[in-house]
Amino acid sequence: MYIKAEIKSNTYVDSMSLMALSTKVNQLPLVQQAMIGMGTDMNKQVIDNVGLGTDAIRNATKTDLIIVVQAANEADAETVFAQIAELQAQSAQGDSGQSNTFNTLKQALKQQTDANLVLFSIPGEYVAAEAKLALQQDKHVMIFSDNVSVEEEIALKQLAHERGLLVMGPDCGTAIINGAGLCFANQVRRGNIGVVAASGTGSQELSVQVDAMGQGISQLIGVGGRDLSEAVGGIMMTDGFNMLLADDATQVIILLSKPPAQSVQDKMIALAKAAHKPVVLCFIGANLSGSEGNITYARHSQEAAQLAVQLATGQAPKDQGQARLDAILAQASPKAAPWVRGLFAGGTICDEVFYTVKAVSSDVYSNVAGPEAERIRFGQAPHHHAMIDFGDDDYTQGRPHPMIDATFRAQALIETAKDADVGTILLDFELGYGANADPIGAMLPAIEEAQRLAKADNRPLNVIAYVLGTDADVQNKQRQQQRLTEAGVFLVDSAVHLGVAAAQLIQRNKE
């Protein structure tokens, strides 16, 4: 084993670019392990934890770029670094024809005077000062970065509120503004349904479900997962909602979040009641249903999409997914072991499946959903029915998000298949801007290995998957689904149907 590290002083690269490069480098055949990141304390700790730390890395500063590779020998490591240089050159060449490059935000603001939105994908500790500068120049802000303190988030959002601007984030992964998808977003129709969401994959799921029902999105405003906390108080969901009320192109509004603080939930319901447009409110896990004035409550994202389309068109869309669910129940092996394990890339999909399974079984646990005291901690072996979000912060420290790099989730899939008590595995795949160019191809070897392990033990193993996306996405949903079908994977048509399929199999095992 040989470890080679290179420290590039005062070389800043944004996190989205680093994640993309890291994914490509880890796929190089001579690489045993590689990590690429800025020299933050967290990154240096993660590199140490995986056994790649060196004195040079430990002495790196926050403005230094770290590239460290583990290969079989020195010659292989040198070859890998030459390949990394080629990848960086290709990336720079590709970027040059599509965008302008600036050394500072001040320089960009001075030269791009027509721009009205600044997207930040930089280490969280640098965000507050730069975002404040953008707001003071009357630019809307989207913050993809996490690790921004709640105090900084509140200050930025209060400043934005005072100036009539948006701060989407921190940790905001999805938005569609005037038809342009930002960060992780899908290619969907434009239409008259507006969305304000404190949920990344949840809002992606909403947009593709609306698209599948033949309707479209006017604006999709992400606000970040903490916006509806007691501390932040829903500042941006309130302002985003008011912007959609004033938007002539928006006729129906969906508000989407994981369970908010009770005071913020009450505030949003009161605000929606006073609105002059119909509102679909979906707070996943909050046990709200029925209707109240101009508010219609939805229990999950698919129902929210169905209700919004019905309000926008006057007709209820057909549920196309029931036939697939019936087919899964008919074809899934009744002799499979009892426990169901969900290995998810999307956090909100994990939540939706958790609460759907929770309705039929009290033996379901997660790392992101349910009572805090019962949650599965990072490094703890899953048990009973378990729903794991591999995009959670604990799983992405020092490594790309699973929607970009499938390596960590693929390893977990193989380990899960070795458990003789697990009979069903649930998977999700996200297509669209920012996601892996071939998410199914990245996981197929692990799926096939999992099936081989179960077959060798003479155990049936049901693998059920959902592909979140559209045929217009660059990865093409139909082509991606075909590959799963050919591999013997059962497919469902929505995130919540993953949970329904699991719940029906669990109930059948009880009978």
Side-chain angles (χ1 to χ4, degrees):
M1 182 182 76
Y2 184 83
I3 296 174
K4 176 178 172 61
E6 184 174 302
I7 313 298
K8 296 188 176 183
S9 299
N10 297 316
T11 302
Y12 176 74
V13 181
D14 70 272
S15 53
M16 285 291 285
S17 299
L18 287 177
M19 285 193 290
L21 178 62
S22 181
T23 298
K24 292 176 182 175
V25 171
N26 275 288
Q27 291 171 345
L28 294 173
L30 295 179
V31 171
Q32 296 178 342
Q33 190 176 197
M35 301 199 74
I36 302 174
M38 300 304 296
T40 62
D41 290 341
M42 185 185 73
N43 284 343
K44 291 189 288 187
Q45 183 63 53
V46 171
I47 291 171
D48 252 346
N49 290 345
V50 298
L52 297 180
T54 67
D55 288 342
I57 291 174
R58 295 183 191 103
N59 292 328
T61 70
K62 293 184 287 188
T63 59
D64 297 338
L65 174 64
I66 299 171
I67 302 175
V68 56
V69 170
Q70 176 185 315
N73 51 55
E74 183 176 1
D76 284 357
E78 295 293 343
T79 300
V80 169
F81 266 83
Q83 292 170 327
I84 292 173
E86 290 177 11
L87 289 171
Q88 289 176 305
Q90 291 169 8
S91 177
Q93 190 174 18
D95 290 345
S96 63
Q98 304 170 21
S99 61
N100 297 318
T101 301
F102 303 101
N103 293 322
T104 66
L105 176 60
K106 287 182 179 178
Q107 189 181 69
L109 292 173
K110 185 176 181 180
Q111 296 190 29
Q112 296 288 319
T113 55
D114 293 340
N116 66 354
L117 186 149
V118 181
L119 194 160
F120 291 95
S121 175
I122 60 177
E125 57 200 289
Y126 304 123
V127 163
E130 299 296 315
K132 182 178 180 181
L133 175 63
L135 291 168
Q136 290 171 332
Q137 297 291 316
D138 290 325
K139 311 298 183 187
H140 298 286
V141 164
M142 181 173 183
I143 304 172
F144 180 77
S145 320
D146 55 10
N147 296 311
V148 178
S149 74
V150 69
E151 292 79 13
E152 290 170 332
E153 177 177 351
I154 293 169
L156 290 172
K157 288 185 170 178
Q158 287 176 339
L159 176 60
H161 172 75
E162 293 166 4
R163 302 178 77 91
L165 298 168
L166 286 172
V167 170
M168 298 183 282
D171 201 14
C172 179
T174 301
I176 300 175
I177 305 298
N178 296 334
L182 302 176
C183 296
F184 297 120
N186 298 91
Q187 186 67 45
V188 297
R189 294 179 178 86
R190 297 206 67 181
N192 59 8
I193 296 173
V195 180
V196 189
S199 162
T201 47
S203 56
Q204 280 188 266
E205 170 71 347
L206 263 181
S207 68
V208 301
Q209 290 297 330
V210 167
D211 182 88
M213 296 170 197
Q215 300 302 306
I217 300 297
S218 57
Q219 308 285 350
L220 192 163
I221 300 170
V223 296
R226 282 193 312 223
D227 190 72
L228 275 71
S229 65
E230 189 75 41
V232 183
I235 299 173
M236 281 299 116
M237 181 164 275
T238 300
D239 287 1
F241 180 71
N242 286 328
M243 288 181 180
L244 293 184
L245 285 177
D247 177 26
D248 292 338
T250 300
Q251 295 182 7
V252 179
I253 299 173
I254 302 175
L255 300 179
L256 173 70
S257 175
K258 299 168 188 177
Q262 186 63 50
S263 64
V264 184
Q265 176 174 306
D266 294 343
K267 172 185 171 182
M268 295 312 306
I269 289 174
L271 190 68
K273 281 181 180 177
H276 62 278
K277 295 182 180 179
V279 179
V280 176
L281 193 147
C282 180
F283 291 160
I284 295 166
N287 198 29
L288 296 168
S289 60
S291 60
E292 188 176 13
N294 64 327
I295 304 175
T296 306
Y297 296 107
R299 296 162 297 173
H300 48 74
S301 55
Q302 188 192 36
E303 189 174 61
Q306 290 170 332
L307 291 168
V309 168
Q310 184 173 355
L311 288 165
T313 65
Q315 293 184 326
K318 294 180 180 177
D319 184 354
Q320 306 286 352
Q322 190 58 48
R324 282 189 189 269
L325 284 174
D326 294 341
I328 290 171
L329 202 59
Q331 296 175 43
S333 174
K335 296 180 180 178
W339 297 129
V340 175
R341 298 284 162 79
L343 310 175
F344 301 107
T348 305
I349 292 179
C350 183
D351 277 298
E352 292 219 56
V353 173
F354 173 86
Y355 286 110
T356 306
V357 172
K358 189 76 173 175
V360 302
S361 173
S362 59
D363 289 331
V364 58
Y365 301 90
S366 173
N367 62 326
V368 295
E372 184 70 34
E374 296 180 1
R375 291 187 182 178
I376 297 170
R377 306 299 172 192
F378 181 70
Q380 179 185 358
H383 52 88
H384 299 78
H385 304 303
M387 307 301 154
I388 305 300
D389 170 20
F390 281 81
D392 187 51
D393 289 350
D394 287 337
Y395 288 80
T396 54
Q397 287 189 16
R399 53 173 80 89
H401 193 281
M403 286 165 59
I404 299 173
D405 185 345
T407 305
F408 195 50
R409 191 166 69 132
Q411 293 168 351
L413 170 57
I414 293 171
E415 290 304 310
T416 302
K418 294 176 182 176
D419 187 340
D421 291 327
V422 175
T424 299
I425 295 175
L426 312 176
L427 298 170
D428 63 320
F429 298 92
E430 286 72 24
L431 312 183
Y433 304 115
N436 189 300
D438 182 14
I440 306 300
M443 284 289 285
L444 266 183
I447 292 172
E448 291 167 353
E449 176 64 9
Q451 293 167 327
R452 188 195 67 76
L453 288 168
K455 187 176 181 180
D457 287 346
N458 199 27
R459 293 184 285 113
L461 179 66
N462 302 314
V463 181
I464 307 174
Y466 171 54
V467 179
L468 189 163
T470 70
D471 289 345
D473 283 325
V474 65
Q475 300 91 344
N476 187 282
K477 181 175 181 176
Q478 190 174 0
R479 285 203 299 268
Q480 295 283 321
Q481 286 184 318
Q482 180 64 31
R483 300 173 74 185
L484 288 172
T485 301
E486 291 171 355
V489 175
F490 299 122
L491 293 175
V492 294
D493 286 332
S494 68
V496 73
H497 279 184
L498 264 184
V500 173
Q504 289 181 350
L505 291 175
I506 290 168
Q507 285 183 306
R508 188 172 73 177
N509 277 341
K510 290 179 180 176
E511 296 170 354

